[in-house]
Amino acid sequence: MVALTMLTQDFYDQLEQILITDPGARGVASLLCPGDLARSCAQLKSANRLGIITGFPVGAALACETDGPLGALELALAWQRLERTATIVCDQFSRSLFEVLQTQLRIPFELVDWREFRIDQVDHLVAIERVGPAMDGICYAMSGDAVTDQYYSLESCFEAARAAGINTTGIGDGGNEIGMGKLNPEAIEQSIAHGARIACRVPTDHLIVAGISNWGVWGVLAGLTVELKRSLLPDRELEQLLLREMIECGAIDGRTLQSTESVDGFTLDQQQPIRMQIEELIREYC
């Protein structure tokens, strides 16, 4: 159990409440695991080799949605600033996207195919908006449609992490993502549309729930900014550049299925009130 000062606990309590703002009215607030954001950050602040799994292909072309990969890039940039190593574990759908982004943006993350990934390459594994199998072993979209034929579940990566005692964090916004297996399935069933069908069975040590999964990364970077006294949130201009480059590389908005500079139907400008609340909270505690 990670011991927190009263001051730090208050910071994380407020931060969690900001993150569960629910623009899509999905019912994510009821999935919150109080304290998990703080516990994850306490482990991440000493993680030198970070593994990141993301990528949710959507639409007829099975293009990666912008929620998840954008947060992955921001985490990789933070690890660069900390002079640590970030490895993005990819599958056949996300590999080409990250290969191009790696070249164009010159972000020094390692890129590893999931079939070649070894858990001893990292000391903390994070899933961001990555679908995982439900209790019946099938992966489902938020609509309740089965998508197993389109995905590798990557459940084995987290099974290997548990066996090796490697810390894991899941970040999600809908109940069907890796990490949600930490919850009682009834919590997802009662709160999320198609919850009984889509609830992911894969748990992580820590579960971070947010209205948009990328916001969960903002929460992690905010926590580490306070913990490490290092500014780790990317500036807004850089974030817009990352999103623009992702769209040009073929990513699409997961809700609208359009090639627009938006995430789950919301532009970064529309998401700025959440970002501003986080930045103000950081100022109060740094």
Side-chain angles (χ1 to χ4, degrees):
M1 181 66 68
V2 178
L4 299 173
T5 66
M6 186 63 68
L7 192 67
T8 307
Q9 183 66 66
D10 186 58
F11 164 76
Y12 280 113
D13 287 346
Q14 293 184 64
L15 183 55
E16 285 179 335
Q17 291 304 309
I18 294 171
L19 295 180
I20 58 173
T21 302
D22 194 357
R26 291 178 171 175
V28 299
S30 61
L31 307 183
L32 177 66
C33 290
D36 266 20
L37 176 57
R39 287 184 282 270
S40 178
C41 287
Q43 299 291 342
L44 284 166
K45 70 181 181 181
S46 60
N48 289 311
R49 301 173 300 158
L50 180 65
I52 305 169
I53 290 179
T54 190
F56 202 137
V58 293
L62 293 180
C64 278
E65 70 164 301
T66 50
D67 196 16
L70 180 58
L73 292 174
E74 292 174 351
L75 266 183
L77 280 168
W79 251 245
Q80 176 189 5
R81 295 190 191 106
L82 294 171
E83 298 182 339
R84 303 177 186 179
T85 301
T87 298
I88 294 180
V89 183
C90 63
D91 61 14
Q92 62 179 351
F93 301 105
S94 61
R95 185 176 188 88
S96 60
L97 173 70
F98 282 114
E99 282 179 338
V100 175
L101 290 171
Q102 189 179 46
T103 300
Q104 292 188 358
L105 300 175
R106 300 183 184 278
I107 302 175
F109 59 82
E110 297 179 357
L111 189 61
V112 178
D113 185 276
W114 74 275
R115 289 163 293 193
E116 300 171 358
F117 174 65
R118 302 190 320 274
I119 197 61
D120 62 3
Q121 294 175 282
V122 302
D123 47 34
H124 198 122
L125 186 60
V126 178
I128 311 168
E129 184 66 11
R130 177 70 197 195
V131 70
M135 295 304 293
D136 60 6
I138 299 173
C139 294
Y140 294 98
M142 286 293 296
S143 62
D145 294 331
V147 294
T148 298
D149 291 344
Q150 303 166 5
Y151 298 87
Y152 299 109
S153 77
L154 303 190
E155 181 178 17
S156 61
C157 296
F158 290 84
E159 292 174 341
R162 285 194 297 275
I166 302 296
N167 285 299
T168 58
T169 295
I171 300 175
D173 61 15
N176 60 337
E177 304 95 349
I178 288 175
M180 294 291 177
K182 181 174 183 177
L183 298 170
N184 185 325
E186 291 183 358
I188 301 175
E189 178 180 352
Q190 294 170 4
S191 306
I192 303 294
H194 311 293
R197 181 176 176 83
I198 71 174
C200 178
R201 71 185 184 190
V202 183
T204 49
D205 297 316
H206 316 296
L207 175 61
I208 299 171
V209 178
I212 293 176
S213 290
N214 287 338
W215 296 356
V217 176
W218 286 354
V220 167
L221 297 181
L224 294 178
T225 293
V226 171
E227 297 274 5
L228 299 174
K229 308 303 179 187
R230 293 277 302 273
S231 179
L232 294 175
L233 277 171
D235 63 57
R236 300 178 191 183
E237 291 76 14
L238 175 58
E239 192 165 47
Q240 192 70 57
L241 172 63
L242 294 175
L243 181 56
R244 183 176 304 118
E245 291 289 343
M246 286 181 57
I247 295 299
E248 291 181 359
C249 291
I252 62 176
D253 185 302
R255 176 166 291 187
T256 67
L257 304 184
Q258 301 297 312
S259 299
T260 54
E261 293 180 26
S262 57
V263 180
D264 281 356
F266 298 90
T267 66
L268 289 182
D269 283 345
Q270 291 172 318
Q271 297 175 55
Q272 281 312 305
I274 299 299
R275 173 68 180 255
M276 292 172 65
Q277 290 180 60
I278 293 173
E279 291 172 343
E280 179 60 32
L281 187 62
I282 290 172
R283 285 192 288 270
E284 290 181 21
Y285 286 86
C286 279

